[in-house]
């Protein structure tokens, strides 16, 4: 038996992943245990969980891998600071203490993090290699082209390669400071969202605007080639030498200063979001076309933070030259922990690769499991008032009834998801047919911006009836956006929001509460949705809940959003779930076989929990 622990840490979204004899046993982000969003410290809790899941100790590990090469990253930082000197001195002073004290000594730090119990080899791979490995080796493809895109690793910001059987070769790259991820983050920053966590908000904002700045971006901010490669005009950006993303030249070009967080959204922000989204899609399409021509492959694997741009992914599937696309569910830095472990198994140790039907990610349900005994104990300690259901059939029937009556349900079952998406194990669920559900869930439960869309989960076999996707296409990890079929989008469905002429004249965020079609709660302003297709093999209990809801309502679709509030990580334990439940206006909590109704819980519990949590952070 060969056991390999992969780690990502110290920069963003620390995580651990464990494979044993080539099979993924466990993977989790550290934030889920510490409750610190995007926790970047050594993933001690995630490591302990992974080892416990496999029944191993630290000393029994055969290899430990780290997802990037710190010396190369340090080289890039030094060269960048020297290139811009004396500008950037304050940024240099801020970065150096942590590098000199910790990040240059990661071999030592990793051994300390493993309590000095691991004495064997530590393997370091390049950042984009770990992304590529996490995508290709988990995919269902014998061979595939591979595209990785993010902000920056060591030097690389974009790379492509080719995977065949157990081999993986990187063929070309774009290097810092020229980065599609950082270009998108610059617009994220300018629009008042937090870099490295607010990019998905910018993507959700884009349909409210018009892409009127596309030519301005292409003519001034970057030089884009036919093959998708590009160079940025660096005078418009400040991330090389400063503590902000954009420069005064950027602000002059667009005629405004960056929006201050939490101030009203401007039409400018919406139009800039639409414009950079359009440019991003253009770049990705060009890159993919070039890679397909070079490799001759019909399959494409994607990873890196930009691969979480599910709007671009959906367009790539519809309009691109690849027949099949597979995207790593943990496409960001956390997935690098899995990638480096797989690189060690397949590249370093040269083991054969067994292709798994569907994919090798096991539904990405790789985190801790909530067992019945643990749930009972935790809920009892919290003085929760519960109904216990002896069989799954009775449980899903009861929950389907509650959902059909427009109750908002926290649903916590089985193993936690690895990656940023809740896939039916740590989810908040609702009825997508309700016109009021989007605003209720955004403002009263998630405590987030009203414009943010919710994603639908749909029975795999019925997805093509409700969404504009081929029957052969699946999206189990909620990483593809497609159009909602408009058969139900008649004028009658708009009756509660105004006449047709009034609707046509509305602009920007005035359109948030327009009722769109027969599934208004999951239909975005541009009639799109980020779809999760649910099959029984990957998500058995969640599939059966959807079937029960369909039997009662005729609708095989549910709202599925992550079980957390703004500024908090997705819940991990029954205790996390109950605390979040009591601090929001959620109606129902279901943990394992236990159902809790809000109006039956002790009133003082909600007061105590709200005081304990305080105000939720606004990131």
């Amino acid at each position: 038996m060969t056991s390999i622990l992969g780690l990502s840490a110290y920069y963003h979204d620390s995580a651990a992943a464990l494979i044993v004899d080539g099979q993924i046993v466990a993977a989790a982000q550290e934030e889920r245990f510490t409750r610190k969003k995007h926790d970047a410290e050594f993933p001690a809790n995630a490591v302990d969980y992974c080892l416990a899941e496999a029944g191993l100790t630290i000393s029994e590990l055969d290899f430990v891998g780290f997802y990037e090469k710190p010396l190369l990253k340090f080289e890039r930082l030094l060269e960048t600071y020297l290139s811009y000197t004396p500008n950037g001195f304050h940024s240099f002073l801020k970065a150096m203490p942590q590098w000199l004290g910790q990040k240059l000594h990661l071999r030592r730090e990793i051994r300390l993090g493993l309590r000095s119990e691991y004495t064997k080899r530590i393997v370091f791979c390049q950042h984009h290699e770990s992304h590529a490995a996490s995508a290709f080796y988990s995919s269902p493809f014998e061979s595939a082209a591979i595209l990785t895109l993010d902000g920056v690793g060591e030097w690389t910001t974009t790379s492509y390669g080719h995977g065949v059987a157990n081999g993986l070769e990187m063929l070309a790259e774009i290097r810092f400071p020229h980065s599609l991820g950082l270009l998108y983050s610059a617009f994220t920053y300018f629009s008042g969202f937090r870099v490295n966590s607010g990019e998905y908000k910018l993507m959700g904002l884009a349909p409210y605007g018009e892409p009127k700045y596309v030519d301005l971006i292409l003519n001034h901010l970057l030089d884009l080639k036919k093959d998708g490669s590009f160079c940025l005009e660096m005078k418009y950006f400040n991330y090389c030498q400063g503590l902000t993303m954009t420069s005064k030249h950027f602000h002059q070009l667009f005629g405004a200063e960056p929006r201050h967080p939490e101030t009203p959204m401007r039409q400018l922000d919406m139009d800039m979001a639409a414009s950079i989204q359009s440019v991003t899609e253009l770049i990705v399409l060009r890159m993919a076309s070039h890679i397909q021509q070079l490799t001759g492959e019909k399959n494409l694997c994607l990873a890196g933070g930009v691969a979480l741009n599910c709007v671009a992914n959906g367009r790539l599937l519809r309009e691109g030259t690849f027949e099949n696309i597979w995207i790593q569910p943990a496409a960001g830095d956390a997935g690098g922990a899995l990638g480096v472990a797989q690189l060690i198994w397949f590249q370093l140790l040269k083991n054969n690769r067994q292709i798994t039907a569907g994919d090798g990610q096991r539904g990405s349900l790789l985190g801790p499991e909530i067992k019945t005994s643990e749930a009972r104990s935790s809920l009892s300690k919290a003085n929760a008032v519960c109904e216990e259901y002896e069989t799954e059939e009775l449980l899903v029937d009861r929950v389907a009834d509650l959902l059909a009556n427009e109750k908002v349900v926290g649903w916590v079952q089985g193993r936690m998801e690895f990656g940023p998406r809740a896939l039916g194990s740590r989810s908040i669920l609702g009825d997508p047919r309700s016109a009021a559900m989007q605003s209720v869930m955004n403002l009263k439960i998630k405590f987030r911006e009203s414009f943010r869309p919710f994603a639908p989960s749909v029975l795999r076999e019925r997805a093509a009836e409700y969404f504009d996707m081929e029957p052969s296409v699946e999206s189990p990890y909620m990483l593809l956006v497609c159009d909602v079929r408009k058969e139900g989008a008649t004028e009658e469905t708009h009756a509660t929001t105004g006449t047709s002429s009034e609707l046509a004249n509305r602009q920007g965020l005035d359109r948030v509460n327009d009722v769109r079609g027969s599934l208004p709660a999951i239909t975005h302003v541009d009639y799109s949705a980020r779809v999760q297709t649910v099959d029984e093999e990957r998500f058995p209990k969640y599939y059966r809940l959807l079937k029960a809801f369909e039997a009662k309502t005729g609708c095989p679709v549910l709202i599925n959003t992550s079980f957390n509030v703004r500024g908090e990580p997705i819940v991990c334990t029954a205790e996390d779930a109950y605390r979040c439940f009591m601090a929001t206006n959620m109606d129902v909590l279901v943990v394992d076989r236990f159902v809790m109704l809000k109006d039956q819980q002790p009133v003082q519990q909600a007061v105590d929990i709200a005081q304990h949590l305080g105000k939720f952070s606004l990131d």
Side-chain angles (χ1 to χ4, degrees):
M1 182 178 75
T2 302
S3 56
I4 304 169
L5 178 70
L7 302 171
S8 65
Y10 304 118
Y11 303 110
H12 191 257
D13 280 343
S14 292
L18 182 68
I19 67 173
V20 176
D21 291 340
Q23 300 299 309
I24 306 171
V25 173
Q29 292 123 287
E30 184 70 2
E31 66 167 16
R32 307 292 170 84
F33 303 94
T34 63
R35 313 308 301 155
K36 299 175 184 176
K37 195 166 186 178
H38 303 305
D39 194 337
E41 294 302 312
F42 183 85
N45 296 283
V47 168
D48 288 345
Y49 153 67
C50 288
L51 292 171
E53 189 67 33
L56 295 172
T57 63
I58 292 173
S59 62
E60 291 175 312
L61 289 168
D62 296 294
F63 290 90
V64 170
F66 191 74
Y67 80 127
E68 63 179 22
K69 294 190 174 183
L71 290 179
L72 273 180
K73 197 171 192 119
F74 188 64
E75 173 192 274
R76 188 253 299 170
L77 289 172
L78 284 182
E79 285 197 24
T80 301
Y81 287 132
L82 288 172
S83 297
Y84 283 88
T85 189
N87 294 330
F89 185 65
H90 292 294
S91 177
F92 176 82
L93 288 179
K94 184 176 180 179
M96 283 305 104
Q98 190 175 27
W99 271 97
L100 296 176
Q102 180 189 67
K103 293 181 180 179
L104 277 178
H105 309 283
L106 285 191
R107 199 178 301 275
R108 178 197 68 193
E109 292 294 315
I110 290 169
R111 294 198 188 279
L112 289 174
L114 297 174
R115 300 187 284 273
S116 300
E117 296 174 20
Y118 180 77
T119 58
K120 301 169 192 173
R121 182 177 177 183
I122 299 174
V123 178
F124 293 85
C125 76
Q126 291 197 35
H127 184 103
H128 276 255
E129 281 186 312
S130 69
H131 277 321
S134 72
F136 175 62
Y137 289 130
S138 297
S139 78
F141 307 139
E142 173 68 27
S143 65
I146 307 159
L147 177 60
T148 68
L149 310 104
D150 65 6
V152 59
E154 298 88 358
W155 280 101
T156 306
T157 66
T158 301
S159 71
Y160 70 84
H162 193 199
V164 179
N166 68 340
L168 188 157
E169 181 183 8
M170 305 311 295
L171 301 173
E173 67 180 15
I174 296 174
R175 305 192 82 185
F176 183 86
H178 310 292
S179 166
L180 180 57
L182 292 175
L183 174 64
Y184 203 90
S185 291
F187 281 78
T188 301
Y189 164 82
F190 185 85
S191 298
F193 302 122
R194 183 173 292 183
V195 172
N196 287 331
S197 64
E199 284 77 7
Y200 58 95
K201 299 179 185 180
L202 194 72
M203 184 180 67
L205 184 65
Y208 290 97
E210 297 294 330
K212 58 176 61 176
Y213 299 113
V214 167
D215 289 342
L216 198 65
I217 294 170
L218 293 175
N219 291 333
H220 291 272
L221 298 190
L222 75 159
D223 178 16
L224 177 62
K225 305 301 184 183
K226 290 184 179 180
D227 64 359
S229 62
F230 60 90
C231 290
L232 299 182
E233 175 49 72
M234 295 309 301
K235 78 173 186 178
Y236 293 102
F237 304 97
N238 196 45
Y239 55 77
C240 287
Q241 70 273 33
L243 300 175
T244 61
M245 293 298 296
T246 55
S247 73
K248 64 179 182 180
H249 300 289
F250 189 103
H251 310 157
Q252 290 167 357
L253 182 66
F254 292 99
E257 293 295 311
R259 182 181 73 91
H260 192 276
E262 307 309 318
T263 59
M265 201 70 63
R266 305 168 295 189
Q267 187 62 45
L268 170 67
D269 302 310
M270 301 175 218
D271 293 338
M272 289 182 71
S275 301
I276 191 57
Q277 180 62 37
S278 181
V279 170
T280 298
E281 293 167 21
L282 174 63
I283 293 172
V284 171
L285 282 167
R286 287 192 183 182
M287 284 183 176
S289 177
H290 176 68
I291 296 166
Q292 199 279 327
Q293 290 174 21
L294 286 179
T295 64
E297 284 289 347
K298 65 178 182 180
N299 305 315
L300 176 66
C301 296
L302 291 171
V306 179
L308 294 172
N309 192 309
C310 47
V311 178
N313 296 342
R315 189 173 170 192
L316 181 57
L317 184 63
R318 292 189 303 274
E319 302 176 28
T321 54
F322 287 98
E323 294 179 20
N324 306 298
I325 297 175
W326 194 85
I327 307 144
Q328 167 55 238
D333 281 3
L338 178 58
V340 66
Q342 292 171 314
L343 271 174
I344 293 170
W345 177 254
F346 292 112
Q347 294 276 69
L348 181 64
L349 302 180
K350 302 187 184 305
N351 287 294
N352 292 328
R353 177 168 170 250
Q354 300 294 322
I355 308 301
T356 304
D359 57 58
Q361 194 84 5
R362 298 172 53 190
S364 214
L365 304 180
L366 303 171
E369 180 179 8
I370 293 182
K371 296 180 172 61
T372 301
S373 58
E374 295 169 353
R376 182 183 288 112
S377 175
S378 294
L379 296 171
S380 176
K381 288 179 182 177
N383 297 316
V385 178
C386 306
E387 304 167 7
E388 183 174 353
Y389 289 81
E390 293 298 323
T391 67
E392 181 186 298
E393 183 179 7
L394 290 172
L395 176 74
V396 298
D397 185 73
R398 171 66 167 143
V399 177
D401 266 336
L402 291 164
L403 288 164
N405 284 287
E406 295 194 20
K407 301 299 183 184
V408 178
V409 176
W411 176 256
V412 180
Q413 303 291 324
R415 294 185 69 172
M416 181 179 66
E417 300 90 343
F418 179 51
R421 309 295 187 216
L423 303 170
S425 286
R426 303 292 186 275
S427 294
I428 299 174
L429 308 177
D431 187 341
R433 303 169 302 162
S434 169
M437 193 62 73
Q438 179 183 2
S439 60
V440 168
M441 291 180 73
N442 264 330
L443 300 177
K444 295 186 177 181
I445 295 164
K446 298 284 282 187
F447 303 121
R448 68 185 198 180
E449 300 89 348
S450 62
F451 67 84
R452 300 270 298 278
F454 285 109
S457 293
V458 58
L459 291 172
R460 168 73 181 83
E461 62 271 20
R462 297 199 62 191
E465 298 175 38
Y466 287 81
F467 303 98
D468 189 13
M469 54 196 304
E470 295 295 325
S472 60
V473 172
E474 61 177 5
S475 178
Y477 302 120
M478 206 182 281
L479 289 169
L480 293 173
V481 163
C482 60
D483 288 340
V484 180
R485 294 199 180 276
K486 295 184 180 180
E487 285 80 359
T490 63
E491 186 169 328
E492 182 180 353
T493 64
H494 291 298
T496 60
T497 62
T499 66
S500 296
S501 60
E502 288 172 341
L503 290 168
N505 290 327
R506 289 183 183 172
Q507 293 183 337
L509 296 184
D510 290 340
R511 296 182 290 161
V512 166
N513 294 319
D514 289 353
V515 179
R516 291 175 285 275
S518 58
L519 301 175
I522 56 87
T523 303
H524 203 16
V525 67
D526 59 350
Y527 283 91
S528 70
R530 174 164 48 90
V531 178
Q532 179 196 10
T533 55
V534 179
D535 59 83
E536 191 167 13
E537 182 177 354
R538 290 186 180 95
F539 313 107
K541 186 178 284 189
Y542 190 37
Y543 177 88
R544 289 188 279 274
L545 175 61
L546 274 162
K547 290 290 285 186
F549 184 74
E550 178 193 34
K552 294 179 184 295
T553 64
C555 178
V557 183
L558 285 172
I559 298 171
N560 176 10
T561 189
S562 57
F563 198 146
N564 66 313
V565 293
R566 188 181 184 191
E568 292 251 312
I570 295 173
V571 300
C572 179
T573 65
E575 182 182 2
D576 297 337
Y578 188 72
R579 185 169 59 246
C580 186
F581 168 62
M582 292 300 293
T584 68
N585 291 313
M586 212 178 305
D587 301 304
V588 182
L589 173 63
V590 184
V591 178
D592 192 64
R593 62 172 65 177
F594 303 96
V595 176
M596 287 143 276
L597 305 180
K598 176 63 68 63
D599 58 14
Q600 294 181 359
Q601 305 308 305
V603 174
Q604 189 58 39
Q605 287 283 90
V607 174
D608 293 343
I609 288 171
Q611 290 175 344
H612 171 72
L613 289 177
K615 292 183 179 180
F616 298 110
S617 65
L618 300 177
D619 67 344

